Amino acid sequence: MDLQSGKLYWPTTVVNPPSYPRLEADISCDVLIIGAGSSGAQCANILCDQGLSVVVVDKRKAGEGSTSSNTALIQYAGEKSFVSLSHSFGEEVAARHLKLCEQSINDIERVSRQLPIDPDFIRRDSLYYASRKEDVPELDEEYALLRKHGFNVDRWDARQIADRYPFQKEAALYYHDDAEMNPLKFVYGLLERVKSRGGSIYENTEITGKRFEQDYALFFTKERHEIRARHVIIAAGYEDSDFKVEKNATLASSYAVITKPIADFASWHKRTLIWETARPYVYMRTTPDNRVIIGGMDKDTSYAGTRDSKILASKDKLVQAFNALFPDIQAEPEYYLGAFYGGTHDGLPVIGQYEAYPHCYVIMAYGDNGTVYNGVLAKVVSDMIVTGSSPDLKIYLQSRPLVAT
């Protein structure tokens, strides 16, 4: 799948990226992980810490899939609101999901401190503003539910926003202790830690066949080497559909711009993450080298040619959206891209367990908080493999009831 096109920023931030060999022999392991991106790397890190023998394979070089276009706003709140998720799944399940996402952010921060490659994890607050006056009642309902369940969020009025930013909005939610980071450095750091703890990582190793026995699975590479594993995690990102099509999954296109370095962020309160109630929405964050990442302008297309034809126009619109909020900051685009973006109809990420794939878990951390969702699902699947159970599996299993959107 042609996952992204354009001029990518994250690969320029890593001077000497790690590399790994191609698989050249038959091997066996406790857990085979297919995919060396965020989900595969987070799973591998947890399972290596549990003392299991882990093999990670990727048909590309590690981190060259969607990780390289991930804008890495690390948040627990997502495009589907707490209120909306409560209507679909009940308040208890929705609250548990958000608490798991909050814990995932804490886990990512803790793990980031242990990595041999610093992923530039930085805590940031988030401003989520009402794009229109008509959105304020919905924002207030969201705030009430978040506060009811103990989330650290404030409700700001127009004066509070204007006192801190150079733009005017009717109302906003101000989330404390979200984060940002470099997603590519995070994946490289995780894989290097896995390698140091005895895990095996193979690049340019494409899986082309499989066979299932009673107690194990056999997966075969393009070069006809065999991997025997007691458990398999398919963590192929938006290419999971190469293995199993999930009816709850959706695929669209999104766009991003990364500016040249900016000298002065004095008007940008605490360099918060910023996003809005409009759908599709525009979001923005800063980087350690003082750039701005502006993303959004999602389009309902899963065709790479259509997606790519809109990159330049979307780049200009994203810069215009930023300038409307920060007219005092001169934003000049240096990198820009279009990428596929996965979601689900019901708003929650998915763990797939299918009768045709015994011994396998398919991780589909689809949604706007993919890195955080990957952490949540990696923990659930790892618990299933290590202990045989997880109280949270039922929240994410593909057999949960679907709700039309």
Side-chain angles (χ1 to χ4, degrees):
M1 183 184 291
D2 181 5
L3 291 170
Q4 69 257 348
S5 297
K7 190 177 179 184
L8 303 181
Y9 166 62
W10 296 125
T12 70
T13 67
V14 184
V15 178
N16 293 305
S19 63
Y20 306 98
R22 185 196 309 267
L23 180 63
E24 301 286 3
D26 295 347
I27 57 173
S28 62
C29 58
D30 292 324
V31 185
L32 166 64
I33 299 173
I34 302 172
S38 172
S39 55
Q42 291 194 65
C43 287
N45 184 61
I46 294 172
L47 291 167
C48 274
D49 281 350
Q50 294 297 318
L52 299 182
S53 63
V54 175
V55 170
V56 182
V57 301
D58 199 298
K59 68 180 180 181
R60 299 182 178 86
K61 291 187 69 64
E64 283 193 351
S66 295
T67 298
S68 291
S69 55
N70 182 347
T71 48
L73 282 74
I74 309 300
Q75 303 168 295
Y76 64 84
E79 182 174 353
K80 279 274 182 137
S81 68
F82 192 175
V83 172
S84 177
L85 291 173
S86 295
H87 290 162
S88 297
F89 300 103
E91 190 173 320
E92 182 180 347
V93 168
R96 176 62 179 165
H97 165 66
L98 291 181
K99 290 292 184 181
L100 289 170
C101 290
E102 189 177 52
Q103 182 58 51
S104 178
I105 297 174
N106 294 336
D107 291 341
I108 289 169
E109 180 178 32
R110 174 183 52 79
V111 169
S112 293
R113 298 195 187 108
Q114 304 170 353
L115 300 182
I117 299 173
D118 183 1
D120 301 326
F121 181 97
I122 302 170
R123 287 285 184 172
R124 298 285 191 202
D125 297 339
S126 291
L127 184 81
Y128 179 55
Y129 67 79
S131 306
R132 307 174 307 153
K133 186 175 183 179
E134 292 80 2
D135 296 339
V136 174
E138 189 175 304
L139 207 68
D140 288 340
E141 188 180 4
E142 184 78 357
Y143 171 68
L145 196 56
L146 287 163
R147 292 295 294 177
K148 175 183 175 182
H149 288 273
F151 291 98
N152 191 6
V153 59
D154 299 324
R155 197 275 196 193
W156 283 5
D157 60 22
R159 180 190 58 78
Q160 289 170 299
I161 298 168
D163 283 348
R164 294 165 175 83
Y165 296 92
F167 51 83
Q168 295 184 348
K169 300 295 176 182
E170 287 287 330
L173 299 185
Y174 189 86
Y175 295 84
H176 296 269
D177 294 324
D178 284 336
E180 66 187 32
M181 71 175 181
N182 183 320
L184 189 57
K185 287 183 177 181
F186 183 57
V187 166
Y188 286 152
L190 286 170
L191 293 176
E192 286 294 280
R193 185 173 189 270
V194 167
K195 179 181 174 182
S196 73
R197 298 177 70 81
S200 299
I201 300 143
Y202 299 99
E203 299 177 324
N204 301 308
T205 300
E206 184 173 1
I207 298 296
T208 56
K210 60 191 179 298
R211 189 174 84 238
F212 299 106
E213 302 294 345
Q214 183 174 351
D215 298 321
Y216 61 90
L218 290 171
F219 277 71
F220 306 97
T221 71
K222 191 175 183 179
E223 290 75 25
R224 300 187 179 182
H225 295 300
E226 174 184 298
I227 307 172
R228 175 172 169 161
R230 293 193 300 116
H231 306 278
V232 179
I233 300 173
I234 299 171
Y238 304 144
E239 293 175 308
D240 280 331
S241 59
D242 292 350
F243 297 88
K244 183 71 177 72
V245 174
E246 170 53 50
K247 61 184 179 181
N248 191 10
T250 65
L251 194 64
S253 297
S254 191
Y255 301 87
V257 168
I258 299 88
T259 70
K260 294 179 180 179
I262 289 169
D264 185 4
F265 284 112
S267 65
W268 191 328
H269 175 68
K270 297 178 68 173
R271 292 172 62 155
T272 48
L273 315 180
I274 298 175
W275 55 309
E276 61 175 330
T277 58
R279 297 292 183 268
Y281 60 91
V282 173
Y283 60 87
M284 54 198 72
R285 55 160 287 194
T286 62
T287 67
D289 59 346
N290 296 322
R291 301 173 188 271
V292 178
I293 298 176
I294 315 158
M297 298 290 173
D298 295 357
K299 302 290 189 299
D300 187 19
T301 180
S302 58
Y303 295 98
T306 304
R307 176 197 71 201
D308 295 348
S309 69
K310 302 179 185 300
I311 289 177
L312 293 180
S314 297
K315 175 194 71 171
D316 293 339
K317 290 178 181 177
L318 287 169
V319 172
Q320 289 170 10
F322 176 81
N323 288 338
L325 294 181
F326 292 97
D328 58 311
I329 298 177
Q330 298 302 309
E332 297 182 58
E334 184 168 359
Y335 303 90
Y336 47 89
L337 59 103
F340 283 140
Y341 166 77
T344 59
H345 291 292
D346 63 16
L348 289 182
V350 177
I351 295 172
Q353 279 191 293
Y354 304 100
E355 187 176 348
Y357 281 75
H359 317 300
C360 294
Y361 298 89
V362 184
I363 287 185
M364 290 164 274
Y366 299 166
D368 46 333
N369 287 337
T371 301
V372 175
Y373 294 165
N374 278 323
V376 172
L377 302 190
K379 179 65 167 58
V380 172
V381 168
S382 297
D383 284 347
M384 292 297 300
I385 289 172
V386 173
T387 70
S389 66
S390 168
D392 298 309
L393 177 65
K394 62 182 180 296
I395 297 175
Y396 302 107
L397 205 57
Q398 89 283 354
S399 56
R400 65 183 182 249
L402 297 181
V403 177
T405 57

